Amino acid sequence: MVQTKTKNHVQRIKQTSQFSFKNDDAAKNISSWASLSLVLLLVTITMITISTATELHVYNYQGINKNDIRFPQSEVGKKAEGFWLAFEKVDVTGLEAFFKANVPPDKLQQVTAKDRAQRLLGLRQQLGKELRLLKIISPSPEEISLIIANLGNEMFKLNLLFEKQDNKLWLKGLAVDEAGPEDLAPPLPAMNIQQALQGIEQEIAKAVREDRFSGVVLVAKNFTPIFFKSYGLASKEFSVPNRPDTRFNLGSINKIFTKIAIAQLAQEGKLSLDDKLGKFLPYYPNAEAREKVTVRHLVNMTSGIGDFFGPEFEKTPKDLIRHNRDYLQFFASKPLAFEPGTRQMYSNGGYVVLGEIISVAAEMDYYNYVRKNIFEAAEMKESDWFEADSIVPNLAEGYTRKVEGPEDSTTQQKDKSSSQQQPEKQSASQDWRKNIYTRPARGSAAGGGYATAEDLLRFIRALYECRLLNEAWTNWVFTGQEPGPQSTGPVIDDSPARSGSGENNNIPSSEPDSEDGLSSPVHSIRENEPLAAAPIKTQTSAASSFLLMNGNRIITTTKEDNEPSDNPENPDPGQSNQSRIDRSRWSLGIAGGAPGINAALEFEAQTGFTIIVLGNYDPPAATQMARMIRRYLGAVKN
């Protein structure tokens, strides 16, 4: 792998982290589709980019003269320049000074400037040793975006959003998102939804002709599909085409199900985010982890528990890995990478441990628990963790062009959803091969399950409508803001039943009824009706303390209004959150990927759009399509 360390984190963070400080008005800008973040969900993941895809993603910016890039001479521009100088130079003192001067005092009491600087510094180091500023964009007088790249040609977008209060300009939002060549290009012209969908269709068709994409694309407005088509082959060997209802491997998207299961059990009082690992797994091999690591640490990826990839995983026949607990052998005995709660690090192992905790707390096997309490509740009838050698109808084979080298073998199963990567070693003929030797026989609580596009739409709708959790815990899934003590107990039946019954569950037929592949509801969009959660940008999960994995795909955000805390001694002022929850700010962005696997789920309540792209090619086949779709939807004007 090229620059494995950076890529691992970049892709995973996608699934995971965000730092977002938003308020209602500010969120309208920072959460726009154009600057989406994932974390996705993460959006937290190493990525394999094949040569045919890298043509689109590796941008030749060498001709850009940094001396021609100047910050605006406004107050916002000067603050952004000060931030960039400290961020680019990995200057923790400078970052701390920036936060002290620009974050409101009450927010600094929740998370100190020093803690903010240290945590942001960890992200900065993951982005690469050297960064280069490529472009400065000012979407509004209060917002500024910096397009940057590292030596590996990975591109990112730093968004800073300010707000004036009492004649003082305060930092309201800070987000780090992935970027691409399109961010350096002029913006798309304003268009209506039909024009956007036509452009999306043309872009996908081009990718299919160039053999860069195979899979299913679903775009919905207010949970009603407005574009739903399948492309390519589910089986190249037998020339079986993908269908709208084909099942695809989701990669790390499955982590959101694990997080929701934890929330359900916490809501029911069967566990607490403060519970130690050892309470549920007293025989866990690492004594320090048993005594120090909490459920909160595991969810937020601040536990110090690492990954299950490595020499032991490589040497183990993959047909022997058939249950979540089978993954423990690869990491559970290893020492923690750091003191729990002091840093963040993408951790597949941590989510495997969460799966075992769920089994103990629920007194039910992890897979059965998720089937019953999430899949069945959301009417996801086609979703499951299928074993590689089982006979499953309508399931897409995964195809990869990756050729493993000595550096690749320990990262073959890591989530790889980021789209800005260097080419891997390729076979001379660039032939597609099945991914049967690069994935375990069965996925885990960290990823590897299967679903259809419609099932994911049903899922995001059920989550948004609080049919899986009550409103306070649903808000935690979307924003990272922990509920108050009043939020435990069963789901209040003031919304559609958790079983999934009720008219709100009637997802329209996804079969296209016109030659252009668009479903009929395209002409009857209810523009202002809230959707479910949002795209890949990060307006959703953002951990105030820059925590990973709040279900967002974005790379990182810092949320001020809904700041969650990794410190149980400093909770939100004890109120029930319910009185100030704004569902219009809920959004979600998640991605997953591995050889022959790539999937993206993006959802934004404010715009009402959901993007679902499932693919059976190497990353960034699906995430690239999702980025393109997001760009077109961002150009839609009512």
Side-chain angles (χ1 to χ4, degrees), residues 331-460:
F331 64 88
S333 298
K334 296 179 180 179
L336 297 178
F338 50 82
E339 182 72 17
T342 62
R343 287 177 49 197
Q344 64 183 56
M345 177 181 71
Y346 189 83
S347 175
N348 279 314
Y351 270 71
V352 168
V353 173
L354 286 174
E356 293 306 292
I357 288 175
I358 289 166
S359 295
V360 174
E363 299 182 338
M364 180 185 300
D365 179 77
Y366 168 80
Y367 302 105
N368 291 336
Y369 181 90
V370 173
R371 284 192 202 100
K372 178 179 179 181
N373 294 281
I374 298 177
F375 293 168
E376 291 181 14
E379 295 192 336
M380 299 168 65
K381 298 179 180 179
E382 307 300 322
S383 302
D384 208 335
W385 280 263
F386 301 112
E387 293 184 278
D389 52 359
S390 59
I391 307 299
V392 182
N394 201 19
L395 185 145
E397 291 275 7
Y399 294 97
T400 180
R401 281 184 167 130
K402 175 178 166 60
V403 176
E404 290 184 17
E407 297 179 34
D408 300 334
S409 56
T410 60
T411 58
Q412 59 184 342
Q413 262 303 305
K414 294 182 181 181
D415 213 354
K416 302 161 177 134
S417 55
S418 174
S419 57
Q420 307 299 320
Q421 307 295 330
Q422 288 293 299
E424 296 292 327
K425 300 177 183 180
Q426 304 296 324
S427 63
S429 62
Q430 294 289 312
D431 290 337
W432 289 111
R433 305 177 71 88
K434 291 183 181 180
N435 65 349
I436 55 176
Y437 296 116
T438 61
R439 58 189 174 93
R442 194 185 195 190
S444 68
Y450 289 79
T452 64
E454 270 195 304
D455 268 4
L456 289 183
L457 183 60
R458 293 185 179 98
F459 161 72
I460 202 65

Side-chain angles (χ1 to χ4, degrees), residues 583-596:
R583 293 193 191 186
S584 69
R585 295 172 55 190
W586 287 354
S587 65
L588 191 67
I590 319 173

